[in-house]
Amino acid sequence: MEKTLLEIAQLVGGEILGADGSLIISGVTNIADAGPEDITFAVAPHLEKAQHCNAAAVLVPAETAEFALPAIRVANPRLAFTALLKAFLPPLQVNRGVHPSAVIDEAAVIGENVAIMANVVIESGVEVGANAIIYPGCYLGRNSSV
């Protein structure tokens, strides 16, 4: 997915700082892993580090007056970053049901609309709540709950 800096600013209710809105962003990640097409976020005490990262742009606190990289000033950079994660990385669609290779003790309680994937082991007394997703290879020990 690609969005312009202007589109991102509109999505998070922010103001662009140090760039025009045409900059293309194609990824959302942390400061250390950010590359030239990514956006990240920074709050104190990480603002200085973010100014020297490889990101194309950074979400910064609204009170930030200057920044070395293109930025979007927002009231809450963490919350804005979460909104971008949802926009750029929509949740995986998971098939509901129990995979044939899953081993589930008969004394386990399994809720409705669950996804129990390959090679899962669920012991006696385990409670798996409605809508839970148990990924491949997980072990749920006795009397635990998810």
Side-chain angles (χ1 to χ4, degrees):
M1 171 185 285
E2 290 184 345
K3 291 194 177 293
T4 65
L5 202 58
L6 179 59
E7 291 172 321
I8 291 171
Q10 291 169 341
L11 178 71
V12 299
E15 177 187 4
I16 297 173
L17 177 65
D20 69 32
S22 65
L23 180 64
I24 300 292
I25 303 295
S26 61
V28 180
T29 192
N30 62 60
I31 293 171
D33 293 336
E37 296 179 351
D38 296 325
I39 190 167
T40 190
F41 81 99
V43 295
H46 306 289
L47 286 165
E48 182 64 31
K49 180 179 179 181
Q51 291 196 73
H52 303 290
C53 76
N54 294 322
V58 182
L59 297 167
V60 297
E63 61 273 8
T64 304
E66 295 180 354
F67 204 75
L69 296 174
I72 299 175
R73 295 190 290 203
V74 293
N76 184 333
R78 286 185 177 100
L79 190 58
F81 188 75
T82 300
L84 290 184
L85 287 173
K86 289 178 183 175
F88 276 80
L89 306 168
L92 295 174
Q93 296 301 314
V94 176
N95 292 329
R96 300 301 170 152
V98 178
H99 192 275
S101 67
V103 178
I104 302 173
D105 189 276
E106 60 188 39
V109 177
I110 308 299
E112 294 180 19
N113 196 39
V114 299
I116 298 175
M117 298 182 181
N119 301 311
V120 168
V121 175
I122 299 177
E123 293 282 351
S124 174
V126 170
E127 292 184 25
V128 176
N131 303 308
I133 301 171
I134 312 298
Y135 287 91
C138 286
Y139 169 79
L140 301 179
R142 252 189 198 150
N143 302 317
S144 60
S145 63
V146 174

